[in-house]
């Protein structure tokens, strides 16, 4: 133990160089670049001082010292005491004042300040240096006893509460008692005499809570306060904040000791906060508020309503003029919107702090665009000023942040936005209620393609199970609809039409609110705020487009989605999932007819393949004639539906490439799972319910994700893909005839072997040739594949001999590479992330070290065979910023994502270029 301590001491000593940096009278020992060592505040105070801004002088103790202090078991490292004393002496000289001198007392503030802003997380002490003698001296000098006692009582409160652990409530109670006794409402109505009594009460409280007298020696006060600021770095709230905001790798907080200036010495004094531009709209205007005769915390505390900055022009014209000139100067210097704190003491203006101002998403975009127009910054800098999260927030409604939320459960933030509606548990009910004018939230254990109508009708979707690429999540994102998925604490009872979370029960018809960006389930209605897209939004995205090299496509299945995505800037479709084209309205019935004949039809095909005997073949054809007619007849019925869908999509995307993926899900997904629906199917297709049930059971799979789906369906039933290929090309030729350019790309899903692709592709091409012959017209097209099975990535050089393009299906690739079921991993992935096994949910952000290697390898091997092979991504990761950065680095040609994520992808792709330069 002793050895360990000694080692720590040596380490601390070895690291220790200069620990304290002075600033004052136009000179500073540091500058803005020294944020890591002096914190943002300290570095900026030094910088401002050198710039000639009127900053009260002071000194900053380094973040390294905080680290050493905490390592040494909350002790000052050797040499610090002397360095602090030296700087106090310097400060005394600069101010012409002395610690504890009643005639000319030096008073200081002690503030924390890390390299990254952590608002309100750590401690501040004001008016340090006050004691009985100094207070008497101030009264004698200024004749303002009220002011002297007021700052003294504030100091005892702050020092007691923040530094020594007294209860602030005790001080509050004493102040309240004094106000009641005086018959006044506000602190500033207490007289000097009354405040003098408050000071004595506060000292008594201090003694009772701390056990010693309130210290009269300013050096003792300073030492304790520095310790408190250093110690607050490790306070639970600060640790939590850093975790929440992902702040890592910092040494600690710096301590800023600065001469006090007073905004509360009378009516020629004041204090305020100002922004160089409007932080909520981004408008270029001076913005801020202030209070006359007040100290900084009065503005924040909200006891008195501050005045709009523009009134200062009349109240104190000289100070206003000086302040606005400084605002312009500092913004120009830092090349960003500044958030400044100022104090006016007896008409003299001081700037206490400046930093890059926090702003809304709307303001971030407006600022970025305006500053480029003003030639303050270059487009590349502007592009880095807006985060993808801000862009995301802009595109969806959000909850009014001023309204409290009763969060009853949390799930995965599957699709952003905010939704308020009445709970329903059934997709049909959702549709019926929506038709009747109600706003509904569809609550399901998990969703399936059967629920699509209800999902469309609902304003938000909540599921008990499922992950970030579950059906609910993918579909909701595509629809731009808020979704919270995998909220395990929500226990749904379909029979009772209710769900419970602990002791809370929510019934059908009750209102809930969903917050899809944080994954919150909230009881009752929370007011929402609609997004506003300003003109700057389009200009900003155009700036991104000029920088990015990745193409941006969209995942869209309907003409409506395609158009929306195009309006958002999509340069084509990277994935049209065709399964919904089997589901909508009436078309589900021929699909089900087809499925009922599927077994016999497959038996016929196998039989015919196995025999060369004509007689045997004829017998087989006779035996299965009914099944053949039913199967192929059903596909014929489907053809016009699909053709119409494709015509709509090709028109909406005229001139841009459209990748259509052929049927992917297993057939059982098209059969009704619930008994009532099975009965309906039996009635409709004129068969027994038993037959339906038998077929459902026959198609049951233990692990459908690894079952009979994707191109495997086409190996068994080539007619399905043939019908789809025909529908695509007939539609393409039809649209081409109208003079529009169509660029169809047919995509075969789920291949694991080049042979699978070769077989399926041959059928597809054969059918397309037939169409060309029949229509006496032809056009260019491509046939490519998804890379979503690890074996396809590992053998991508072989696959590329057949594939004319690759699109990485990273949803399945993640599922299969990591062995996590897309629909079940939600149950435990949260714990995995919490324990740091994986930094983030791999279905949300691409696992670059593992799954990413397969992508990288796929691209390299594919392009080895086929030079310049077009490679894209169409998994959900295609809209996630860190994954987009990865896609840029491994040289993909484009990313494809849901329409609402297209603007985010445009930004993220531009940022990837700048970041990786
Ligand atoms: C994928 O697997 O990444 C993909 C896009 O296909 P789906 O999500 O439809 O399986
Ligand atoms: Mg897939």
């Amino acid at each position: 133990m002793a050895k360990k301590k000694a080692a720590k001491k040596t380490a601390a000593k070895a690291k220790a160089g200069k620990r304290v940096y002075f600033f004052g009278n136009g000179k500073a020992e540091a500058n803005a670049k020294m944020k890591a060592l002096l914190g943002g505040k300290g570095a900026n105070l030094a910088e401002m001082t050198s710039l000639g801004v009127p900053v009260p002088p002071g000194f900053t103790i380094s973040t390294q010292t905080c680290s050493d202090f905490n390592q040494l078991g909350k002790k000052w490292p050797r040499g610090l005491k002397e360095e602090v004393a030296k700087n106090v002496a310097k400060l005394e000289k600069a101010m012409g004042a002395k610690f504890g001198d009643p005639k000319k007392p030096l008073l200081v503030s002690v503030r924390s300040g890390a390299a990254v802003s952590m608002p309100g997380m750590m401690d501040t002490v004001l008016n340090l240096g006050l004691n009985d003698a100094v207070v008497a001296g101030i009264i004698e000098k200024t004749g303002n006893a009220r002011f002297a006692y007021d700052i003294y009582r504030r100091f005892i409160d702050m020092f007691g509460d923040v530094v020594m652990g007294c209860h602030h409530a005790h001080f509050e109670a004493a102040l309240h008692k004094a106000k009641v006794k005086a018959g006044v409402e506000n602190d500033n109505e207490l007289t000097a005499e009354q405040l003098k009594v408050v000071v004595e009460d506060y000292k008594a409280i201090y003694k009772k809570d701390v056990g010693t007298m309130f210290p009269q020696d300013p050096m003792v006060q300073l030492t304790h306060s520095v310790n408190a600021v250093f110690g607050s770095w490790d306070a639970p709230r600060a640790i939590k904040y850093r975790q929440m905001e992902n702040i890592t790798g910092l040494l600690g907080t710096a301590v800023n000791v600065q001469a006090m200036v007073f905004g509360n010495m009378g009516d020629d004094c004041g204090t305020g906060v100002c922004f160089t531009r409007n932080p909520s709209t981004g408008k270029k205007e001076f913005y801020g508020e202030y209070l006359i005769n007040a100290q900084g915390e009065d503005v924040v505390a909200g006891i008195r309503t501050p005045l709009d900055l523009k009134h200062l022009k009349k109240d104190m014209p000289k100070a206003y003029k000086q302040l606005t000139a400084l605002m312009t100067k500092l913004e120009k210097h830092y090349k960003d919107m500044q958030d400044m704190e100022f104090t006016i003491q007896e008409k003299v203006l001081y700037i206490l702090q400046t930093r890059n101002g926090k702003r809304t998403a709307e303001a971030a975009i407006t600022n970025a665009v305006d500053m480029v127009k003003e030639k303050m910054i270059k487009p590349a800098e502007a592009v880095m000023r807006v985060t993808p999260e801000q862009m995301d927030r802009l595109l969806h409604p959000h909850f009014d942040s001023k309204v409290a939320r009763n969060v009853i459960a949390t799930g995965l933030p599957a699709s952003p936005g905010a939704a308020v509606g009445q709970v329903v548990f059934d997709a049909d009910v959702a549709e019926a209620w929506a038709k009747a004018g109600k706003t509904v939230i569809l609550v399901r254990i998990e969703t399936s393609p059967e629920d699509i109508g209800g999902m469309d009708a609902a304003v938000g979707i909540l599921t008990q199970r499922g992950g970030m690429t579950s059906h609910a999540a993918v579909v909701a994102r595509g629809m731009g609809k808020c979704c919270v998925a995998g909220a395990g604490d929500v226990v749904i009872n379909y029979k009772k039409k209710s769900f419970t979370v602990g002791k809370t029960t929510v019934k059908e018809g009750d209102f809930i609110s969903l917050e899809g960006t944080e994954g919150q389930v909230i009881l009752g209605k929370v007011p929402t705020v609609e997004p506003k897209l300003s003109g700057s939004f389009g200009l900003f995205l155009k700036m991104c487009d000029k920088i990015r090299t990745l193409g941006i496509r969209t995942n869209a299945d309907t003409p409506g989605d395609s158009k929306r995505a195009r309006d958002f800037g999509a340069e084509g479709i990277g994935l049209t999932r065709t399964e919904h084209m089997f589901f909508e309205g009436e078309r589900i019935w021929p699909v089900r007819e087809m499925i009922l004949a599927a077994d016999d039809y497959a038996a016929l095909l196998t039989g015919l393949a196995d025999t060369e005997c004509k007689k045997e073949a004829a017998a087989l054809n006779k035996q299965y004639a009914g099944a053949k007619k039913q199967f192929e007849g059903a596909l014929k019925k489907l053809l016009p539906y699909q053709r119409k869908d494709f015509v709509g999509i090709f028109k909406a995307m005229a001139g841009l490439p459209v990748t259509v993926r052929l049927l992917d899900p297993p057939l059982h997904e098209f059969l009704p799972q619930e008994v009532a629906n099975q009965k309906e199917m039996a009635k409709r297709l004129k068969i027994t319910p038993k037959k339906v049930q038998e077929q459902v059971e026959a198609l049951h799979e233990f692990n459908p994700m690894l079952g009979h789906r994707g191109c495997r369906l086409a190996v068994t039933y080539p007619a399905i893909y043939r019908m789809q290929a025909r529908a695509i090309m007939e539609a393409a030729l039809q649209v081409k005839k109208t003079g529009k350019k169509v660029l169809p790309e047919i995509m075969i899903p789920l291949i694991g072997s080049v042979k699978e692709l070769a077989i399926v592709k041959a059928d597809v091409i054969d059918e397309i040739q037939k169409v060309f012959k029949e229509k006496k017209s032809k056009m260019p097209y491509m046939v490519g594949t998804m890379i979503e099975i690890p074996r396809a990535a590992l053998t991508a050089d072989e696959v590329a001999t057949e594939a004319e393009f690759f699109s990485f299906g990273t949803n399945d690739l993640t599922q299969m590479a990591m062995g996590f079921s897309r629909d079940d991993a939600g149950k435990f992935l949260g714990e995995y992330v919490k324990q740091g096994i994986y930094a983030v949910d791999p279905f949300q952000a691409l696992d670059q070290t593992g799954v990413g290697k397969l992508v990288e390898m796929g691209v390299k091997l594919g392009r080895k065979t086929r030079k310049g092979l077009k490679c894209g991504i169409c998994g959900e990761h295609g809209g996630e910023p860190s994954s987009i950065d990865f896609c840029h680095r491994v040289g993909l040609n484009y990313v494809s994502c849901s329409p609402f994520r297209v603007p985010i992808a445009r930004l993220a792709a531009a940022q990837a270029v700048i970041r990786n330069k």
Side-chain angles (χ1 to χ4, degrees), residues 862-875:
R863 287 185 181 155
K864 216 164 108 189
T865 304
R866 207 182 272 261
K867 209 167 159 258
L869 177 75
K870 186 157 70 172
C871 294
I873 179 176
C874 63

Side-chain angles (χ1 to χ4, degrees), residues 575 577 661 664 709 786 788 809-812 822 874-875:
L575 172 65
R577 291 181 168 98
R661 179 182 73 184
D664 186 54
R709 57 173 284 221
M786 292 187 75
E788 51 185 343
T810 44
N811 301 335
D812 272 310
R822 282 163 70 165
C874 63

Side-chain angles (χ1 to χ4, degrees), residues 469 474 555 575 577 579 661 664 705 709 747 749-750 786-788 807-815 822 873-877:
T469 58
V474 171
N555 293 358
L575 172 65
R577 291 181 168 98
E579 42 268 29
R661 179 182 73 184
D664 186 54
M705 278 290 174
R709 57 173 284 221
M747 182 155 75
L750 217 76
M786 292 187 75
I787 304 289
E788 51 185 343
S807 177
F808 289 87
T810 44
N811 301 335
D812 272 310
L813 197 60
T814 299
Q815 165 169 261
R822 282 163 70 165
I873 179 176
C874 63
E876 289 304 299
H877 305 94

